[in-house]
Amino acid sequence: MCDPQAAGPQPGSRRRTRAAGRTRRLHVRCSAALARAAERAEDDGARARRLTAAADHARRAGLPRRATALRALSLRRKAVSAARGQTELTRGLQSLRAGEVINAREALHLAAALYRHADRPDDELTALLHAAEASWTAGDGAGYAGAALRISGHGAAPGELRDYFRGVAAALRCDHARSVPALRAASLRGAAAAAESHPAVPVLACRAALMLGDVSQARDLAGRALARAAGPRRTVPELLGLLALVELVADNHARAGAHAERGLEAAVATGRLNTAAQLHGTLAMAAAVRGDAATCRDHARRALGTAQAHGLMVPALLATWSLGLLDLAQQRPRAAVELLRPLVLGESGVHHFAWRVRVIPSFVEAVALAVAGLPAPARKRACRQARLILRTLEEWAEVTGDRRARATVLHCRAVLAATAAPACADPCFGRALALVERVGSEFAQARTKLAFGMALRRLRRPGDARAHLRGAMLLFEACGAGVWAERARDEMRAAGQAEPGDRPRPAASLTPQQLRVARHVAEGRTNREVAALLAVSHRTVDHHLRNVFAALGIRSRVELVHALTAHQP
């Protein structure tokens, strides 16, 4: 019998050999085709991907030297992409700080794409974050939403950043059921983040807290970010600008101005023209509240000059808003309406998808004052349009539970009611005052008291009006809003001189807590002693005492003693 092994290769073995040969030739052809395609590719990322695939096919074809050469060429291409990415990142950051922000955005998006092709995820994330900031500064809502979607799904992004950008993307889609929880998570996780977390975490967590109306949390996060930047001084101007904006939202205009002054000095010293423009806008707002018209217009002019040249929407909005607020304070409501309408409707080149909501209350108040002398049908139409615009703020206040925003909404409703239906204004102002005194700033309280006093005077109730107008005047003086205090004095003169008998009785005008504070102070105790007796902070006592002075129309503790003695039940 013959030996089977001596008969040669079996049919199955020959088939496997032929199949292996065909597979090898196929890998060789694929490797060659991909290498040729890589040479023709115009995009660095596509070129690198094709070279990597060509190297893999060469390895499978049993050509290790060719595979090594192709892989080395791919790595060189990735290195070229990384180098180009660094160049574009540098160019984009220079434009973001001192040039046209649209150019910055394009360069930063290109840098992110190059870093992605070079397999540099951390650098890609950095470029994307700066690109998002460029879109924010430019007021480009669609661009910011696109960057937010990319960052929220980026593998290198910390959870706090993903939460923030998920929340922003949902908010821009008006999906508040998803946006508010995500923003709240970003704020809370940012507050709990370790000191070595990503540098953008406290900044964006601060922005999330501001969107939700948590001013104290936003202030803490901005301060923390500023403390972390004590070493690398290059970020200090931007962080001081952020802290100034937080105080601006909180109506602490003097603090906002102080932070902005420091930030402006640092921004000018480091050549950050775009940051300087935003700080000029903040300083214009602070000057408008003080009533310093010349300073307000000077800062607004500087902010608008850079903003128009570089496409900066936040500085342009702040500068225009400050001029409208100055017109409103100086009793030129029609001029204020003309300045503020484009900001809330986006009818001109000055608009911002996020900051427009902050301008709505000023616009509504300007409309209410501007149409007061018009015929009833025209007045009602204007008030109806203002209510429609106000609805944006109402919805956001409702879904976030922001009590400061709700107090602002109640103030706006009351102002519109005083114009469209004066007889219905009392309960509206009563609800607004009750909430703003609990959660609002001195400036917000004074604005509501002034509007209520003006409405009462027009209803020919001067005695009731004077109490609110005097309270507004004292609160405006306490927070350094000189032009507003003078306006309250003008309204008081129009309502007649206040007489002692016109003052409300303490039991009728003060809350129980205010009355307790007033009696302890009248007995000669200091604010800290009163705080210890009532088991509250001395700041709470300060707050109550200022409101007591405003309600009683007095300015000193001596007058408080006389007021309580004269009005004993």
Side-chain angles (χ1 to χ4, degrees):
M1 296 181 63
C2 63
D3 186 355
Q5 294 182 354
Q10 298 298 308
S13 176
R14 287 196 297 271
R15 285 196 297 271
R16 286 194 294 272
T17 301
R18 287 196 296 271
R22 286 195 299 271
T23 300
R24 181 178 180 279
R25 289 192 295 275
L26 180 61
H27 281 303
V28 170
R29 287 197 294 271
C30 286
S31 178
L34 284 166
R36 288 193 299 271
E39 293 175 1
R40 295 192 298 270
E42 296 180 0
D43 178 71
D44 285 343
R47 186 179 296 113
R49 288 193 298 272
R50 290 169 185 174
L51 286 172
T52 300
D56 186 55
H57 281 292
R59 179 184 61 78
R60 294 183 182 187
L63 302 172
R65 291 184 179 179
R66 178 173 174 78
T68 301
L70 288 169
R71 193 173 295 110
L73 183 57
S74 173
L75 291 175
R76 285 198 296 274
R77 294 295 185 186
K78 288 185 177 182
V80 169
S81 291
R84 285 189 59 200
Q86 183 60 46
T87 300
E88 294 299 328
L89 178 63
T90 302
R91 186 168 68 88
L93 289 177
Q94 288 173 346
S95 292
L96 184 59
R97 292 164 186 160
E100 293 188 30
V101 72
I102 299 299
N103 294 341
R105 184 186 60 192
E106 298 307 315
L108 291 164
H109 276 303
L110 178 55
L114 289 166
Y115 279 132
R116 182 172 67 255
H117 300 153
D119 293 331
R120 301 271 290 272
D122 291 337
D123 292 325
E124 180 193 359
L125 176 62
T126 298
L128 284 174
L129 288 169
H130 287 302
E133 193 61 28
S135 293
W136 176 276
T137 307
D140 177 12
Y144 198 72
L149 285 173
R150 290 180 64 184
I151 296 171
S152 63
H154 198 283
E160 299 90 342
L161 297 188
R162 290 200 297 272
D163 285 335
Y164 170 79
F165 283 106
R166 272 198 297 266
V168 168
L172 291 172
R173 297 193 305 270
C174 296
D175 184 358
H176 301 319
R178 294 184 180 181
S179 67
V180 172
L183 290 171
R184 187 163 287 120
S187 173
L188 295 174
R189 293 177 68 177
E196 61 273 10
S197 62
H198 194 284
V201 166
V203 173
L204 296 178
C206 169
R207 196 173 283 172
L210 266 189
M211 292 175 70
L212 297 172
D214 192 344
V215 176
S216 59
Q217 176 89 318
R219 184 184 293 116
D220 178 68
L221 286 162
R224 188 179 305 181
L226 187 60
R228 283 180 57 174
R233 301 289 295 177
R234 60 185 179 277
T235 59
V236 166
E238 286 83 358
L239 295 174
L240 282 169
L242 176 65
L243 191 54
L245 290 179
V246 171
E247 298 297 353
L248 196 65
V249 171
D251 288 331
N252 293 325
H253 302 98
R255 289 184 188 174
H259 293 315
E261 288 281 6
R262 287 176 55 207
L264 182 59
E265 183 180 353
V268 171
T270 54
R272 293 169 182 261
L273 300 182
N274 293 347
T275 302
Q278 179 176 309
L279 292 162
H280 277 300
T282 305
L283 288 166
M285 286 291 294
V289 171
R290 292 197 309 271
D292 187 346
T295 302
C296 173
R297 292 192 178 100
D298 180 59
H299 283 299
R301 177 181 57 80
R302 293 171 183 269
L304 286 169
T306 305
Q308 290 166 356
H310 294 171
L312 313 174
M313 286 301 112
V314 176
L317 181 141
L318 290 173
T320 309
W321 185 11
S322 71
L323 296 173
L325 194 63
L326 186 64
D327 282 335
L328 189 58
Q330 295 179 340
Q331 303 186 57
R332 296 193 296 268
R334 291 186 181 179
V337 169
E338 293 305 313
L339 281 169
L340 300 177
R341 180 184 284 116
L343 305 187
V344 298
L345 297 181
E347 293 177 339
S348 71
V350 180
H351 61 276
H352 194 276
F353 59 93
W355 274 94
R356 63 178 291 267
V357 179
R358 305 282 180 191
V359 187
I360 288 175
S362 299
F363 172 72
V364 169
E365 188 167 346
V367 168
L369 293 173
V371 303
L374 295 180
R379 188 166 63 246
K380 288 182 178 178
R381 282 196 302 272
C383 290
R384 192 179 303 116
Q385 182 191 35
R387 285 194 193 93
L388 288 174
I389 294 171
L390 181 61
R391 192 170 297 168
T392 303
L393 180 59
E394 289 175 339
E395 292 173 355
W396 186 247
E398 188 65 30
V399 298
T400 60
D402 179 1
R403 295 200 299 166
R404 292 173 64 92
R406 287 171 60 193
T408 302
V409 167
L410 289 174
H411 169 89
C412 291
R413 287 179 182 170
V415 169
L416 291 172
T419 302
C424 304
D426 268 25
C428 294
F429 274 112
R431 289 191 293 271
L433 276 174
L435 186 56
V436 78
E437 286 177 354
R438 290 200 301 271
V439 301
S441 64
E442 289 180 347
F443 186 69
Q445 291 180 49
R447 290 280 294 273
T448 304
K449 285 179 178 291
L450 173 61
F452 195 9
M454 291 169 61
L456 291 170
R457 184 179 70 77
R458 291 184 176 88
L459 287 172
R460 302 190 180 187
R461 294 163 56 187
D464 294 331
R466 286 195 293 268
H468 291 292
L469 293 171
R470 183 179 290 275
M473 180 190 71
L474 294 174
L475 285 169
F476 281 136
E477 288 177 346
C479 60
V483 67
W484 291 91
E486 188 58 38
R487 182 174 165 187
R489 287 192 197 94
D490 291 341
E491 290 289 334
M492 285 178 61
R493 283 191 286 269
Q497 291 296 320
E499 299 294 335
D502 290 331
R503 292 176 181 169
R505 291 171 60 84
S509 63
L510 302 181
T511 66
Q513 183 74 336
Q514 288 173 347
L515 189 56
R516 283 192 290 271
V517 169
R519 285 173 176 165
H520 284 307
V521 170
E523 290 170 1
R525 294 184 174 89
T526 66
N527 288 10
R528 290 189 180 276
E529 290 172 343
V530 176
L533 282 171
L534 299 180
V536 297
S537 71
H538 76 278
R539 292 183 179 178
T540 300
V541 173
D542 293 342
H543 173 75
H544 285 312
L545 193 57
R546 283 194 295 270
N547 288 336
V548 167
F549 279 23
L552 300 183
I554 59 177
R555 302 190 185 193
S556 69
R557 292 171 182 249
V558 173
E559 289 182 53
L560 176 62
V561 174
H562 292 310
L564 293 185
T565 303
H567 293 285
Q568 288 295 329

